[in-house]
Amino acid sequence: MSTWLQVITQGALGAISIAMLFSLHRLVRGPSLTDRVVALDLFSLQTAAVITVYALWVGQPELVDVALVLAVIGSMGTIVIARYLYSARRGQR
Amino acid sequence: MKEILTAILLVTGALLMLLAGLGLFRMPDLFLRLQAAAKASSLGVGLLMGAAALGLGDVSVVARAALGVAFVFVMTPVATLLIAQAAFRAGIPLWEKTHQNDLEEHHPAGGPYEPSLGPDGEDWE
């Protein structure tokens, strides 16, 4: 991998890290429980993206598997929590 | 040539992920936040996985990246729809400048689920 592509890879990692800080802010401050669930879903997708870019940076193809599993599990968890929230009564959000 | 294409995919994917985080941070309403986060982040993850598949250049990595992109593109809209329905039922307030609410007629917000009546008084189920 050439040097300029490594610089671009590090820049992509930095941009995704800033986006992770944004979703962490929403996870801590989010006014409702649903906001926190959405922030956690986006955070797991961002972690999968970081692992993917890191796999490209260090040249480890095995790490793509980790990102794949993390992306699937994160969305699954969001669907399960959504089904739970759907049947919960008002006032317990 | 391959490296230039990888760099373009990396930059667009990372910018879309940053846009998703910024939308989650800045949008005024839960439903608008969902719009921004779901679309931008699924496309961003797809582009980044494409960049990894192209840069690593291995057949197994290409297959796994394609599988990951397919999973993300199927699961993220489903999760977003279910979360939005649950939030609407729970009575999460809409932004005050939102002036179209089609779901309110048949499924009013708040309370547990009750099958509502159709437009002509017939039960929908």
Side-chain angles (χ1 to χ4, degrees):
Chain A
M1 183 185 274
S2 51
T3 315
W4 62 273
L5 189 54
Q6 277 200 343
V7 172
I8 286 181
T9 311
Q10 290 168 7
L13 278 177
I16 303 170
S17 307
I18 295 171
M20 286 172 94
L21 284 183
F22 282 145
S23 71
L24 266 184
H25 174 270
R26 183 56 64 194
L27 181 65
V28 174
R29 289 291 301 277
S32 65
L33 174 61
T34 328
D35 282 297
R36 290 168 218 259
V37 175
V38 173
L40 204 60
D41 185 26
L42 185 61
F43 194 79
S44 73
L45 266 186
Q46 283 162 346
T47 315
V50 162
I51 293 173
T52 310
V53 178
Y54 185 72
L56 180 61
W57 185 20
V58 299
Q60 284 279 335
E62 290 86 5
L63 286 178
V64 179
D65 294 357
V66 183
L68 172 60
V69 170
L70 194 59
V72 173
I73 294 293
S75 296
M76 285 275 200
T78 307
I79 290 174
V80 170
I81 297 175
R83 294 313 292 175
Y84 165 68
L85 286 177
Y86 191 83
S87 56
R89 282 174 183 275
R90 184 177 194 171
Q92 291 179 347
R93 48 177 137 137
Chain B
M1 187 59 209
K2 203 179 84 174
E3 292 198 332
I4 294 175
L5 209 55
T6 308
I8 291 173
L9 284 179
L10 265 179
V11 170
T12 39
L15 282 182
L16 276 172
M17 292 305 285
L18 188 58
L19 194 67
L22 200 62
L24 194 75
F25 181 61
R26 283 293 295 167
M27 282 288 187
D29 180 2
L30 171 74
F31 302 96
L32 297 176
R33 273 177 222 139
L34 270 173
Q35 294 291 324
K39 283 162 188 150
S41 71
S42 57
L43 190 54
V45 168
L47 288 178
L48 288 177
M49 281 200 170
L54 197 64
L56 292 172
D58 199 358
V59 179
S60 63
V61 179
V62 172
R64 280 162 196 164
L67 193 63
V69 171
F71 262 124
V72 168
F73 270 53
V74 169
M75 296 290 270
T76 307
V78 174
T80 306
L81 174 67
L82 290 177
I83 277 285
Q85 279 183 345
F88 189 80
R89 290 222 70 82
I92 304 283
L94 270 67
W95 190 30
E96 70 265 18
K97 288 182 184 170
T98 305
H99 51 70
Q100 185 164 3
N101 188 355
D102 286 336
L103 199 56
E104 183 70 51
E105 293 180 31
H106 300 300
H107 300 281
Y113 177 74
E114 291 171 13
S116 67
L117 297 180
D120 49 352
E122 297 274 322
D123 206 319
W124 274 16
E125 262 86 13

